[in-house]
Amino acid sequence: MSDNKKRGFFSRLGGFIDGARRWTLNIIFLVIVVAIATALFTSVKDVTVPDGAVLVLAPEGVVVDQLSAVDALTQLSAQGLPRETLLADLIETVSLAADDPRIEVLLLHLDELDHIGMSKTLELAEAIKVFRQSGKTIVASANHYNQDQYLLASFADQIFVHNMGGVGIEGFAVIRNYFREAIEKLKIRFHVFKVGNFKSAVEPLLRDDMSDAAKEANRAWLDQLWTLYRDTIVERRGISVSKFDYYVNHIDKVMAEVDGDAAQAALDYGFVDGIISRPMLREMLIERVGENKDGSFKQSYYRDYLMLNRSLLVEVKESVGIIVASGNIVDGEQPTGTIGGDSLAQLIRKARRDDDIKALVLRIDSGGGSAFASEVIRAELQKLQEAGKPLVISMGSMAASGGYWIAASADEIWATPATLTGSIGIFGAFPTVDNLLQGLGVSTDGVGTTAVAGKLRPDLPLDPILARAIQSGVEYGYRRFITIVADGRNKLVEQVEPIAEGRVWSGIDAHQLGLVDKLGGLQQAVDSAANLAGISAANSRLLTLPLSPEEELMRMILGSGMVKSAFSVSSPLISVLNSVLPAWNDVLKLQDSRGVYAYCLMCVAP
């Protein structure tokens, strides 16, 4: 009896301590959120746009079509905030400023931009061109331009670089690690099932180098996108192709000409208009637009500017719905930044049942993933079309493999010239470690009621019956993929087969091959969908699944950019891991219910 009392006492004590801990953490969290929210709402009232101002467009981290979902506690923890900027926010900001008489200059401040990619840059550039046509000036500045930043900067009227900086351009490449020898040393066997000469996602498991077929496919789109990059710079900067090529391919000689001064080299070769320190840039802009109370030039930060203008927008009823599908395609319900088969299907179903949504634009930025989840999504899109609502696809940086699977049956498909698409192929992979275990002295044995019972285990050799069955399933999935493309694109199966086999195409080639209908960005796709539905293109709205109150509050707070300096940290180790391992980390998350994937591991859009 006394033991029970003791256990009861300690159990209650433990429960009390655990409850107190939870309440304390919750109170601390609420205090932080309230403090930030109060600061946010107070500051919003003070935000104004001065006449003749500079609009500071300063994207941070990676420019994406959809923000990754991160829980609030993680966002406020030492792990730091996700460094992402919405492409739609940048385009909307520049478009609004083009017609705003208060904005005189657009400053592309690119120091914090990690990656935007060619496809998204070309879409943002369209808005920048409209801004320029309104008679206003675009200036770009950075401490040092990497290749990605420089393409965006090239659309400015003036490009300035810091005296300790330069312009780094190296070209595009696909470089991979290959693990065949390491896998053999570990005595692991990967059983690979695929269809298509160009479905090279599994090559690192089977080879020590890139196959000739993979080199041929990759070289084709790499060369085409590099030509597009080079021609864009040459046209924007008014330099010759030979001068551009010499700068890139003989950078050692270029640097020797200026005694290692990279900024001077960029100026001499016409890549920048001036070498300028931060105080000099500030003084130049003050001279152009005037000085504010803080001693800097009159300015409006793009997040503040966008928040103020959005508060004036009025939602209309009859609309083109826009759904963003960004990330790997995975079964089930998934948070934003990953395409969940069930969650995206639910959102499409919501659009179909909403009488105010007259057409749908699905924005895809994905290299694919689960074949099963891709089919779940495609079937729901088909129901939307059967309900009489036009479906238009807008492809972002990539819509390949499973991303193309869900796009193929649309009424129209739009892509940018730099989009990576196609990759029409299927693969599966199953590892067995029986040799490894035997080497460690571990044996596996047992009995079953059928020829295949218990045989699909990684600690047993893959049974030939199961191997043939899996290969048959993969081949069926490939034939189904081909048929979906043929039906959706109004082609014969025989016409699709030569452009399939897992081969990746640029938007330019995909358009010529009929895999894509038109070249253009999201806004052009929305305009076209509105035309098909017979409504105004101005009537569009983003459709999302409802967020929890906590997620809504955190999205609003973090979207303001106010808490960046307070909570962001940098870890060199995390940066290295994120740059080396993301592709393999993505593969591990796919988890198709049948182990069959429509995924393009090679699709890393430049």
Side-chain angles (χ1 to χ4, degrees), residues 296-313:
S296 185
F297 52 89
K298 291 193 295 183
Q299 60 187 270
S300 180
Y301 180 62
Y302 84 99
R303 290 190 188 275
D304 296 333
Y305 179 82
L306 187 59
M307 186 178 296
L308 285 174
N309 281 275
R310 278 179 174 169
S311 64
L312 304 175
L313 297 178

Side-chain angles (χ1 to χ4, degrees), residues 323 339-354 360 362 371-393 405-407 409-411 480 484 545:
I323 294 177
I339 304 172
D342 292 342
S343 47
L344 182 53
Q346 178 185 346
L347 198 50
I348 296 166
R349 191 159 55 250
K350 176 182 175 183
R352 172 168 58 86
R353 294 166 61 90
D354 189 335
L360 179 66
L362 181 64
F372 178 82
S374 299
E375 177 59 18
V376 168
I377 296 165
R378 191 197 68 83
E380 200 63 56
L381 289 170
Q382 189 174 37
K383 291 291 289 182
L384 178 131
Q385 290 173 283
E386 291 171 357
K389 298 189 177 185
L391 171 64
V392 176
I393 300 296
W405 185 308
I406 64 180
S409 301
D411 297 298
R480 179 163 178 76
I484 288 170
L545 291 172

Side-chain angles (χ1 to χ4, degrees), residues 400-445:
S401 224
Y404 193 79
W405 185 308
I406 64 180
S409 301
D411 297 298
E412 279 187 2
I413 300 178
W414 290 71
T416 75
T419 296
L420 296 184
T421 188
S423 189
I424 302 167
I426 298 286
F427 75 90
F430 184 76
T432 55
V433 294
D434 49 302
N435 285 344
L436 170 62
L437 294 177
Q438 286 177 8
L440 297 174
V442 178
S443 300
T444 306
D445 197 11

Side-chain angles (χ1 to χ4, degrees), residues 254-266:
V254 170
M255 291 293 286
E257 292 170 5
V258 290
D259 295 327
D261 187 342
Q264 188 61 49

Side-chain angles (χ1 to χ4, degrees), residues 216-274:
E216 174 192 346
N218 290 325
R219 171 67 70 180
W221 65 263
L222 282 170
D223 285 347
Q224 194 163 57
L225 295 191
W226 177 240
T227 299
L228 177 61
Y229 182 99
R230 182 194 63 193
D231 290 351
T232 301
I233 301 300
V234 166
E235 179 184 355
R236 287 294 311 147
R237 296 300 303 170
I239 60 178
S240 66
V241 171
S242 59
K243 197 170 186 178
F244 177 95
D245 288 341
Y246 187 85
Y247 180 89
V248 175
N249 293 297
H250 302 283
I251 189 63
D252 56 335
K253 296 178 181 178
V254 170
M255 291 293 286
E257 292 170 5
V258 290
D259 295 327
D261 187 342
Q264 188 61 49
L267 181 63
D268 290 348
Y269 278 77
F271 287 92
V272 300
D273 296 294

